[in-house]
Amino acid sequence: MARVRVPAAALNAVNRFRTARRPESPVPELAARPRPWARALGLTTVVLLGAWLGLLVVGNVRVPVGPMNTTMTLRPAFDGGTKINISPLGALHLDSHIAPVRLDVNVDQLDPDRSQALVDHPERLSGLQDEVAADIEHGTLDLAVRSCVAVVAGATALGLAVYRRPRRALTAGGLALALLAASGATAYATWNPKSVLEPRFSGLLSSAPSVVGNARNIVTEFDVYQQELARLVTNVTKLYDVTSTLPAYQPDPTTVRVLHVSDIHLNPASWKIIASLVEQYKVNVIVDSGDTMDHGTAAENGFLDPIPDLGAPYVWVRGNHDSTTTQAYLEKMKNVHVLDDGRAVTLAGLRFAGIGDPQFTPDRSAVPDAEGTQEAAGDRLADALRAQRAAGTPVDVAVAHEPSAARRTDGEVPMVLAGHLHHTEMEILEKGTRLRVEGSTGGSGLRAVEGRYPDPIEASILYLDRDSRRLQAWDEIKLGGLGLTTAEVSRHLPKENQPGASPTPTPSSPSPTPSQAPSSPTPSASRPRP
């Protein structure tokens, strides 16, 4: 057959005609699939939420710890640690580990027979540390197993409810188990048994001394974790003992307790707080590093009248809000020791020396060469400290208001106290002197309402060894400011007082016995301007 050739133009015309007459059929669009990151985010949410729900429902165990019945629970937390709830007294926080899970221990009740036997027979305390350690080990292992079951069951159940696919649900459960295992490994790797030596207590301030307990020299003790944990259990047992009244705090006789306050700024509530701390901690000496007043006028002097009745000797140095009129008023008070020009006094076996602030700026005005003036005052204090040491009566604690003046005493005294900054600091200076800056025990006074949140009321209990006169530990006390009622007490240990550490040499030679140390003032070579 002969092949007929059709012109291309004709074919194109026919194709255009067919296309024009053919109705366009709808092309089904493919369903949009979720992106990989969205699926991963959704699975992560299911794993975390399911694991948390599982722990919340079944992830706790009841464990007897010594004479106490407790409930242990794992809770998600960014900073980890251990929280011991001692309702209604408060809670203890321990920096025991760094992991995204926190161990919560709730003290439910005491076994009446076991607690009474422990209180009545102190000789049984010798075996309490092993008993407590064994109870906690058993409880944590039981909690670990139960938590594994809880997170796997919770994540699997939620995965099945969300995805309706067994494979997806099992994947969620497996990931939850892996997450818990990783958290446990991190907690184990960062486990800090010494955290029990530096607890942080929040709750009723009156309960803090009895719960936290004494600060002692624990450098040479063996098995510190077990011993301190047993001591904590004993303290709580005594507090919960229903057959006795709240026990009185019994301070360690080897320590001298110094209450450091500063920057009261005419807050009348400070006197009640200070008196309460003196009574609760059996304070031996109160040290005020200045700015007790706000304007330093004679009209304000009546504010100082409660000081002689606070229950302990009061050591005071002038701040930049305190005038010489204020100083003269305090010098006439009974049981008040005003330190200036490097003068020294011996109280409770400790020798204190200090210098008043060379500036008087109640209006917070700027003073030319303020830093140089402060350093010059610090140099005069350092000269007085050297003279004291040359006379055979070295100073244990120096006091100044401004930290810049206090720094000039580096190498001349083991510890120097200051204030002015309205927040706490602790620093070891270059030559070994420890600088302790206290916050505002008056909550910054009227300045508390200047910011968005009121400033806290801060003070510290310093524990010094009665023989060596060296710092053993300190408790930072923080109370809520205006309109707040929170209280927090945190225990801290110097590095040289940590278990296993060797004591570091101190800047000055050992102090003489209290009978050898005179309490008469020793003038310095020069005197600061008023």
Side-chain angles (χ1 to χ4, degrees):
M1 293 179 61
R3 183 174 298 177
V4 179
R5 293 180 178 272
V6 180
L11 289 176
N12 291 337
V14 172
N15 290 336
R16 283 196 298 270
F17 176 76
R18 289 177 178 177
T19 301
R21 295 195 57 180
R22 184 188 305 151
E24 293 185 2
S25 59
V27 179
E29 296 183 1
L30 295 176
R33 295 184 177 181
R35 296 180 179 179
W37 65 266
R39 285 184 292 177
L41 180 61
L43 182 59
T44 301
T45 303
V46 169
V47 169
L48 294 177
L49 183 59
W52 180 77
L53 290 174
L55 286 176
L56 192 64
V57 175
V58 295
N60 58 73
V61 296
R62 296 186 178 276
V63 181
V65 177
M68 301 186 303
N69 294 323
T70 69
T71 301
M72 293 185 177
T73 312
L74 286 182
R75 289 285 182 259
F78 290 108
D79 53 353
T82 299
K83 181 181 180 182
I84 305 174
N85 297 301
I86 315 169
S87 178
L89 305 178
L92 280 172
H93 305 263
L94 309 177
D95 295 328
S96 56
H97 61 276
I98 301 174
V101 289
R102 184 186 71 215
L103 174 62
D104 283 2
V105 181
N106 295 316
V107 179
D108 299 326
Q109 61 182 4
L110 292 183
D111 183 284
D113 297 331
R114 298 175 69 188
S115 61
Q116 189 61 45
L118 185 63
V119 173
D120 293 341
H121 302 280
E123 68 275 6
R124 299 186 182 182
L125 296 177
S126 59
L128 181 62
Q129 57 181 351
D130 295 328
E131 179 184 349
V132 168
D135 290 342
I136 291 180
E137 182 180 1
H138 172 74
T140 51
L141 289 176
D142 192 5
L143 179 62
V145 174
R146 184 182 290 266
S147 298
C148 288
V149 175
V151 299
V152 171
T156 302
L158 186 60
L160 189 61
V162 172
Y163 296 112
R164 301 183 184 277
R165 295 180 182 178
R167 182 176 296 180
R168 282 285 184 88
L170 292 176
T171 300
L175 290 175
L177 180 60
L179 177 63
L180 182 63
S183 300
T186 304
Y188 180 80
T190 59
W191 172 245
N192 177 24
K194 298 177 184 177
S195 61
V196 74
L197 297 172
E198 298 183 292
R200 186 173 67 257
F201 176 81
S202 57
L204 297 176
L205 183 60
S206 59
S207 302
S210 297
V211 174
V212 177
N214 289 305
R216 299 170 296 123
N217 189 342
I218 43 78
V219 175
T220 59
E221 290 185 0
F222 181 70
D223 290 338
V224 173
Y225 176 68
Q226 292 185 17
Q227 293 185 24
E228 291 298 307
L229 200 59
R231 188 166 67 93
L232 173 61
V233 171
T234 305
N235 292 341
V236 176
T237 299
K238 291 180 179 180
L239 287 172
Y240 268 95
D241 184 17
V242 295
T243 63
S244 64
T245 58
L246 191 67
Y249 170 64
Q250 298 298 327
D252 193 317
T254 65
T255 63
V256 178
R257 292 158 303 284
V258 176
L259 172 60
H260 185 197
V261 301
S262 189
D263 296 86
I264 293 175
H265 285 291
L266 284 182
N267 187 343
S270 300
W271 300 133
K272 294 182 179 180
I273 293 171
I274 292 173
S276 177
L277 292 173
V278 169
E279 180 180 1
Q280 293 166 19
Y281 281 89
K282 310 301 180 187
V283 167
N284 301 111
V285 182
I286 306 169
V287 176
D288 185 343
S289 49
D291 273 6
T292 311
M293 311 298 263
D294 220 12
H295 298 90
T297 62
E300 296 173 333
N301 285 343
F303 171 75
L304 305 170
D305 290 344
I307 291 179
D309 300 321
L310 292 177
Y314 199 89
V315 176
W316 183 86
V317 296
R318 188 179 64 250
N320 61 295
H321 284 257
D322 305 315
S323 65
T324 53
T325 302
T326 303
Q327 180 165 317
Y329 190 82
L330 280 168
E331 286 175 337
K332 299 176 183 178
M333 283 188 173
K334 182 182 178 181
N335 215 25
V336 175
H337 305 269
V338 175
L339 302 183
D340 200 3
D341 302 334
R343 291 195 297 265
V345 63
T346 299
L347 299 166
L350 297 176
R351 193 154 180 82
F352 299 86
I355 194 167
D357 196 304
Q359 301 171 9
F360 179 55
T361 54
D363 56 353
R364 290 182 280 181
S365 58
V367 176
D369 193 26
E371 189 73 14
T373 304
Q374 292 292 344
E375 292 179 353
D379 290 338
R380 290 193 290 273
L381 178 57
D383 291 339
L385 296 175
R386 281 189 287 270
Q388 291 277 352
R389 187 166 53 193
T393 57
V395 172
D396 303 305
V397 181
V399 190
H401 179 65
E402 276 265 9
S404 55
R407 291 177 184 276
R408 307 297 290 187
T409 65
D410 187 17
E412 306 299 336
V413 67
M415 183 166 62
V416 59
L417 306 181
H420 186 66
L421 301 182
H422 290 207
H423 65 263
T424 59
E425 291 184 4
M426 182 74 89
E427 179 184 356
I428 302 297
L429 302 179
E430 183 178 352
K431 297 179 181 178
T433 293
R434 181 182 297 273
L435 170 62
R436 170 70 187 174
V437 179
E438 190 53 77
S440 174
T441 312
S444 300
L446 293 177
R447 293 166 183 78
V449 299
E450 292 180 352
R452 182 176 181 183
Y453 300 103
D455 291 344
I457 294 174
E458 296 178 297
S460 297
I461 301 291
L462 310 176
Y463 301 88
L464 289 89
D465 185 82
R466 192 173 291 275
D467 295 327
S468 67
R469 280 81 159 167
R470 301 299 178 255
L471 184 68
Q472 297 298 314
W474 72 95
D475 288 348
E476 292 185 359
I477 301 169
K478 183 180 294 186
L479 307 179
L482 293 176
L484 303 179
T485 58
T486 57
E488 182 177 291
V489 180
S490 54
R491 168 68 50 82
H492 301 273
L493 299 178
K495 289 184 178 180
E496 63 270 19
N497 200 26
Q498 295 284 352
S502 57
T504 56
T506 52
S508 65
S509 57
S511 301
T513 59
S515 60
Q516 294 174 320
S519 59
S520 59
T522 301
S524 60
S526 58
R527 301 176 64 88
R529 293 176 298 175

